[in-house]
Amino acid sequence: MEQAVPTLSPLAALVAWSAVLLFVHIVLQAMLSTRELGSAWNAGPRDGDRRPVGILAGRAERAAANFRETYPAFVGLALTLVIVGDRSGWGLAGALVWFVGRIVYLPLYLAGVPYVRSLVWTLAAAGLLMMVAALVF
């Protein structure tokens, strides 16, 4: 008797890839901060209020914070859609819009591109709303 091999839902795969994107944010922020403040600061307890003041390190920190603002909603919506199903396809489409938007957002933020960066953030947020719509309607 052959055992069925479970296939990974595209939404579940996006959750996994989103964790990679979270890790990219964390590593980028750490690398830029360490470049500015040194490895002793990074390896130490980081007591006090010493923070990187460089433009890129600051942008990486703010971009990571911005990512973490919508990330819990994405994970919750995506996993809910995996559990209940996405009959309309809007959930997967929204997840892809959010994911691609968040990938595009990072270099735009690091480069300091105004307006376009905000537009990309809005599109990513629309992806979350598409996921909500897939669950509600």
Side-chain angles (χ1 to χ4, degrees), residues 16-29:
W17 282 110
S18 72
V20 172
L21 185 55
L22 174 65
F23 189 69
V24 166
H25 275 277
I26 293 167
V27 169
L28 181 63
Q29 178 186 359

Side-chain angles (χ1 to χ4, degrees), residues 65-123:
N66 185 283
F67 179 84
R68 290 188 309 267
E69 288 173 356
T70 62
Y71 188 56
F74 170 76
V75 171
L77 289 166
L79 292 179
T80 301
L81 284 161
V82 167
I83 293 167
V84 302
D86 178 23
R87 293 179 303 278
S88 68
W90 280 97
L92 178 58
L96 285 168
V97 167
W98 179 86
F99 186 70
V100 170
R102 295 313 309 198
I103 289 171
V104 172
Y105 183 85
L106 181 57
L108 290 173
Y109 203 117
L110 292 175
V113 178
Y115 303 111
V116 175
R117 182 193 84 221
S118 297
L119 176 63
V120 169
W121 183 94
T122 302
L123 290 172

Side-chain angles (χ1 to χ4, degrees), residues 41 45-51:
W41 171 83
R46 301 179 195 166
D47 293 333
D49 57 356
R50 187 171 179 219
R51 301 178 56 86

Side-chain angles (χ1 to χ4, degrees), residues 24-43:
V24 166
H25 275 277
I26 293 167
V27 169
L28 181 63
Q29 178 186 359
M31 287 173 45
L32 292 171
S33 296
T34 301
R35 183 172 76 178
E36 185 177 325
L37 298 174
S39 58
W41 171 83
N42 192 359

